[in-house]
Amino acid sequence: DRYMEKERKLCRKEMINLEKSKVYFTDFRARPGYNLLQKLERLIKKAGIENINFKNKYVAIKIHFGEPGNLAYLRPNYAKVVADVVKELGGKPFLTDCNTLYVGGRKNALDHIDAAYLNGFTPFSTGCHVIIADGLKGTDEAYVDINGEYVKTAKIGRAIMDADVVISLNHFKGHEGAGFGGAIKNIGMGCGSRAGKMEMHSSGKPNVLSDKCRKCKQCKNICAHSAISYDEEGKAHIDHSKCVGCGRCIGICNFDAIKSPNDEAADILNKKMAEYALAVVKDRPQFHISLICDVSPNCDCHSENDAPFVPNIGMLASFDMVALDKACADLVNAATPFENSYLGDQLKKNVHEKDHFHINHPDTHWESQIEHGEKIGLGKSDYELIKI
């Protein structure tokens, strides 16, 4: 009897593994009297968001607020729909992101919140507050042990790890480093602190740009490993034999004088992102939403956005971020490219490849996100697309 029960359990487990992940889809068509915001609410409820226990739970809605000057980011109206559903179900939502590693309009919490408000993500328009998860200078992080193939301990913005539930609201688009940006990138790269982002982007350690160093010695004060010294001119230098790559010197420098080498191979970048995403969502409720609209060839981190390279396709939702990203990629690759776009320009050069993301950025390999995510148990690439 014990043997038979064990066999039944193994069979049930195999049946679960064989099941396709469900990805729910609706297009951007809207008849009079029924708008896109109502369609989004219906989509996420049909996809099962109500099955999560939100009662008195803190809910991190991870979103990209858009670099100032970029207009391809998701409209705040969509964030309000998600926040309102969470509140309806008893949760306490907040919109969140982590500071950027590069120099730009979102490199510290004050500038980041200004950028969010500039782009319309205010408590008045979305119904919830903005919290920059890794603090004022990107150094407020939680350490999450995952013992991955590439990442042993992930460095995640503390406010995100303090949340009880994680929801990603993704603008699905192209990306010059990852091939595309979807749920895995939004959660994996987006939830990394500045040190976490450095770990994903870099196989090396930071360096000082001497011409920008102002000799303030704040970097030495924050370094716990005595890796920073000064030359006869008072300019900082980093001893890589002592540096552990924590990235705190990058965060503390007010003059952008310390830079990450940003030299990691595209495949490894994608795999590290998947491992960071696992660190964020493991052992707690998660839900993922992607909108395939304004599909720019590059990330919303750019202070500009090029024309979309395919038409707006639809909104998708799933509990499985790997399946969601794969479904989005398949839909984009099946779409007819716009002639007046970066992809259209590339196709005029007699490119015969059918992968739109690879045509845009030939040095990328977006499939490595999916493959590694499936390998580490982040989700499954085999999906069932349910149209509503």
Side-chain angles (χ1 to χ4, degrees):
D1 287 344
R2 285 196 299 270
Y3 175 78
M4 292 299 294
E5 180 61 25
K6 184 178 180 181
E7 286 294 304
R8 282 193 290 269
K9 286 182 179 179
L10 286 172
C11 288
R12 283 196 296 269
K13 185 176 181 180
E14 288 176 4
M15 288 296 292
I16 291 171
N17 289 336
L18 288 172
E19 288 179 4
K20 296 180 179 180
S21 291
K22 291 179 171 60
V23 178
Y24 291 77
F25 169 86
T26 190
D27 60 29
F28 279 111
R29 300 296 302 274
R31 64 179 185 270
Y34 189 65
N35 62 43
L36 291 178
L37 302 179
Q38 291 168 317
K39 289 191 77 173
L40 176 58
E41 180 180 355
R42 182 168 182 260
L43 171 75
I44 63 178
K45 287 183 175 179
K46 284 282 187 180
I49 194 171
E50 294 172 304
N51 295 327
I52 297 174
N53 176 16
F54 287 106
K55 191 67 174 176
N56 295 320
K57 301 291 177 62
Y58 293 104
V59 182
I61 302 174
K62 171 62 182 72
I63 191 168
H64 194 304
F65 298 116
E67 188 72 13
N70 187 295
L71 296 177
Y73 60 88
L74 293 182
R75 294 181 181 181
N77 312 64
Y78 294 119
K80 186 177 190 304
V81 170
V82 180
D84 284 350
V85 169
V86 170
K87 288 190 289 185
E88 175 190 320
L89 297 172
K92 299 177 179 180
F94 61 95
L95 301 181
T96 192
D97 198 1
C98 287
N99 292 304
T100 58
L101 182 61
Y102 62 85
V103 177
R106 297 175 300 120
K107 65 178 181 177
N108 62 69
L110 298 182
D111 291 347
H112 206 153
I113 291 173
D114 282 346
Y117 286 2
L118 175 69
N119 288 339
F121 294 93
T122 72
F124 307 104
S125 61
T126 64
C128 65
H129 290 286
V130 170
I131 297 176
I132 305 305
D134 59 344
L136 182 61
K137 295 187 175 182
T139 57
D140 187 12
E141 58 202 2
Y143 296 93
V144 183
D145 293 330
I146 56 171
N147 198 32
E149 185 176 346
Y150 300 93
V151 177
K152 303 307 177 186
T153 302
K155 305 169 186 70
I156 309 297
R158 187 173 299 280
I160 289 169
M161 294 311 301
D162 283 345
D164 303 301
V165 182
V166 177
I167 296 175
S168 63
L169 180 55
N170 320 296
H171 171 220
F172 193 86
K173 57 204 169 291
H175 193 275
E176 58 277 20
F180 69 67
I184 294 173
K185 184 177 186 300
N186 186 36
I187 290 291
M189 182 62 70
C191 292
S193 66
R194 295 191 85 180
K197 287 180 173 65
M198 185 177 73
E199 180 178 25
M200 285 180 272
H201 277 297
S202 172
S203 60
K205 295 174 182 178
N207 294 291
V208 177
L209 304 177
S210 293
D211 59 324
K212 290 189 175 184
C213 178
R214 295 296 179 268
K215 313 174 189 178
C216 68
K217 300 191 177 181
Q218 289 300 307
C219 53
K220 183 175 182 179
N221 293 339
I222 203 171
C223 181
H225 303 279
S226 303
I228 298 177
S229 60
Y230 300 90
D231 61 19
E232 60 277 5
E233 295 181 6
K235 302 279 187 172
H237 292 272
I238 299 174
D239 183 346
H240 285 181
S241 68
K242 296 179 181 178
C243 174
V244 298
C246 73
R248 289 187 173 273
C249 55
I250 297 175
I252 201 68
C253 182
N254 291 325
F255 307 103
D256 303 315
I258 303 178
K259 303 289 287 185
S260 165
N262 195 26
D263 59 352
E264 191 59 277
D267 282 11
I268 306 302
L269 168 69
N270 278 336
K271 292 175 181 179
K272 286 182 176 180
M273 284 193 326
E275 293 185 5
Y276 260 73
L278 181 63
V280 173
V281 302
K282 69 172 185 173
D283 301 326
R284 57 180 171 165
Q286 57 178 295
F287 190 78
H288 308 283
I289 308 156
S290 287
L291 276 65
I292 310 177
C293 59
D294 298 318
V295 188
S296 51
N298 296 320
C299 182
D300 292 345
C301 292
H302 282 242
S303 58
E304 84 295 323
N305 58 281
D306 197 4
F309 60 87
V310 293
N312 291 352
I313 294 172
M315 301 181 274
L316 298 90
S318 179
F319 286 99
D320 185 331
M321 73 170 79
V322 174
L324 180 63
D325 275 358
K326 183 62 164 58
C328 289
D330 289 346
L331 287 168
V332 170
N333 273 329
T336 302
F338 283 135
E339 183 177 351
N340 185 30
S341 69
Y342 183 75
L343 177 61
D345 292 343
Q346 301 308 107
L347 290 170
K348 290 172 188 174
K349 299 175 183 177
N350 296 316
V351 175
H352 300 294
E353 191 173 347
K354 294 183 179 180
D355 187 325
H356 297 342
F357 306 106
H358 196 253
I359 295 170
N360 279 337
H361 302 293
D363 294 330
T364 63
H365 178 208
W366 62 265
E367 293 95 334
S368 57
Q369 295 182 51
I370 306 297
E371 293 164 357
H372 196 65
E374 190 163 28
K375 176 182 176 182
I376 64 177
L378 188 60
K380 295 187 288 188
S381 62
D382 199 10
Y383 65 89
E384 176 188 2
L385 193 66
I386 302 170
K387 298 181 180 181
I388 65 168

